[in-house]
Amino acid sequence: MISQFDSSEPKVDIILPNYNKGEFIKESINSVFAQSYKNWNLFIIDDNSQDDSKKIINNFRNENNNVSVIYLSRNKGVSFCRNLGIRLSNSKYISFIDSDDYWSQDKLKKQIIFMEKLNHKFTYTNYTPFTVKNNKKIFRKKVIV
């Protein structure tokens, strides 16, 4: 369960498009729940997945009030899903996470503090790509953007 947040903190809507990423989506969603920054809503937009994604997503949907799930009846692509999430958002900030990514625990907190302090309307972060081989993550060089 999500702990209480400071209501003076700006709200962040997190948009998570998903298509057949059942292998990764639980870790992705859990990384959102583990955030030290708590004033957020999560929009999971499933793009008509045919794997076990829907079953995994439903487990999170049923236990968290700040999670909204939209199941599309046909595959429309990741851009459509992100744009739908943007249209649904009514928060000061929007953050995107892909269904095969995960965040460090302080990602949102550091980014929001940075944006508020410097009055930025848009920011982006570095990332570390990985591949999975024999059920083990192999991390590549961090991409500094």
Side-chain angles (χ1 to χ4, degrees), residues 111-129:
Q111 196 166 11
I112 297 302
I113 289 170
F114 176 79
M115 292 177 77
E116 289 284 298
K117 181 179 178 182
L118 298 175
N119 198 30
H120 286 310
K121 307 258 185 259
F122 177 86
T123 60
Y124 48 90
T125 61
N126 301 329
Y127 62 95
T128 306

Side-chain angles (χ1 to χ4, degrees), residues 34-75:
Q35 289 299 297
S36 57
Y37 192 90
K38 300 297 184 187
N39 194 7
W40 53 261
N41 290 314
L42 175 62
F43 292 96
I44 303 171
I45 302 165
D46 186 82
D47 201 13
N48 197 30
S49 292
Q50 302 302 306
D51 65 354
D52 62 345
S53 293
K54 291 176 185 175
K55 179 181 173 190
I56 295 165
I57 292 167
N58 274 334
N59 289 333
F60 290 98
R61 173 188 195 170
N62 295 333
E63 61 186 61
N64 296 286
N65 292 334
N66 57 336
V67 176
S68 299
V69 180
I70 296 98
Y71 292 109
L72 300 181
S73 59
R74 64 184 176 97
N75 185 274

Side-chain angles (χ1 to χ4, degrees), residues 12-24:
V12 179
D13 284 339
I14 301 164
I15 300 169
L16 192 162
N18 178 65
Y19 179 68
N20 289 340
K21 295 292 184 186
E23 178 182 359
F24 302 106

